[in-house]
Amino acid sequence: MHADKLHFQIRSVIEAQGIKIYTPPLEEDDEAGLQHARSLISAMPFSVIGSERDVNTPDGRTVKGRHYHWGVAEVENEEHCDFKKLRAILIRTHMLDLIHTTEENHYEVYRASQMETRKFGEARPRKLDNPKFKEEEESLRKRFTEQVKVEEQRFRQWEQKLIAERDRLNKDLEQSHAVIKQLEAEVEGLQGSMSRTSRR
């Protein structure tokens, strides 16, 4: 199924079910930001591929992605998935707006519903007073904590790889600049010697 057709069907279901999803604000006074926000909205809902594995593409590149029998799906290739768009919304262009939306809308709705159903000063009802439930809750909390630690470690390793790759590229760039300067000096020297020879 074509991605555009799939997106259209999913959007139709979201609208039919009345599901509210985050929409980036459209600021008319910022043309570049406006175009960026519109491109993000048109791509929603995002299709995201997740992978931390390095795979080799047919053209010899090493990328983060997934290897299938039909080829390689690249995490950061916008023709393959919307990971870069999702990352832009979460940690670059709209992080503050997401925080404000969560605090001002979702939390306030939850707070208002709690105030309507509970008397002032009444303690929050505990549904897990059963020892069995408490044990399960503790087990889930422990598993969740362990999983968070694992994911944090993975993220740090990935971050270190990115930093190392950036440093390597910067070093290669510096070396390339040095070689270019050396070649320019040699060319100038040759031109000078040629001009002196022609004068003789």
Side-chain angles (χ1 to χ4, degrees):
M1 185 181 294
H2 195 273
D4 291 339
K5 186 176 180 181
L6 182 60
H7 271 155
F8 177 76
Q9 289 185 349
I10 295 174
R11 284 196 200 101
S12 299
V13 172
I14 289 173
E15 291 175 4
Q17 297 297 324
I19 300 172
K20 294 182 179 180
I21 60 174
Y22 174 75
T23 302
L26 299 175
E27 299 181 6
E28 301 292 339
D29 57 341
D30 182 1
E31 183 62 28
L34 182 63
Q35 293 297 328
H36 179 65
R38 283 176 175 166
S39 69
L40 292 175
I41 293 171
S42 66
M44 291 179 175
F46 296 143
S47 301
V48 178
I49 301 168
S51 177
E52 295 178 350
R53 293 185 179 180
D54 291 329
V55 295
N56 295 321
T57 61
D59 57 0
R61 292 177 297 116
T62 300
V63 299
K64 298 290 182 186
R66 293 191 177 191
H67 205 291
Y68 297 97
H69 67 278
W70 44 262
V72 174
E74 301 176 32
V75 170
E76 297 210 24
N77 187 332
E78 294 195 68
E79 294 182 357
H80 296 180
C81 82
D82 298 320
F83 173 78
K84 292 178 75 172
K85 293 183 179 70
L86 178 62
R87 181 176 61 190
I89 280 185
L90 291 178
I91 63 176
R92 290 182 182 170
T93 56
H94 296 87
M95 178 187 283
L96 288 177
D97 187 60
L98 276 165
I99 293 172
H100 293 153
T101 301
T102 301
E103 182 178 0
E104 295 173 5
N105 295 346
H106 303 299
Y107 173 71
E108 287 302 323
V109 170
Y110 167 79
R111 182 172 173 272
S113 66
Q114 289 294 304
M115 292 179 68
E116 288 177 1
T117 56
R118 287 163 51 189
K119 295 179 181 178
F120 181 76
E122 181 182 5
R124 181 179 178 182
R126 291 279 299 173
K127 296 182 180 179
L128 302 178
D129 290 334
N130 188 312
K132 181 180 178 181
F133 290 156
K134 287 184 178 180
E135 185 178 340
E136 290 179 358
E137 181 187 27
E138 187 61 33
S139 176
L140 286 171
R141 184 181 290 110
K142 185 178 179 181
R143 283 168 53 194
F144 176 75
T145 303
E146 291 173 352
Q147 187 65 31
V148 167
K149 289 180 180 178
V150 170
E151 294 301 325
E152 285 179 347
Q153 183 64 26
R154 284 182 181 177
F155 178 78
R156 289 194 189 99
Q157 290 174 352
W158 190 24
E159 185 180 30
Q160 288 172 359
K161 287 181 181 178
L162 290 175
I163 292 172
E165 181 66 12
R166 181 201 63 190
D167 293 342
R168 184 186 69 79
L169 292 173
N170 286 339
K171 187 176 180 181
D172 290 346
L173 187 61
E174 289 175 0
Q175 290 175 348
S176 297
H177 283 315
V179 170
I180 291 171
K181 286 182 179 179
Q182 183 179 353
L183 290 173
E184 287 176 346
E186 291 176 1
V187 169
E188 288 178 0
L190 288 172
Q191 289 176 342
S193 62
M194 289 175 65
S195 63
R196 285 193 298 272
T197 302
S198 62
R199 288 172 188 171
R200 291 176 187 173

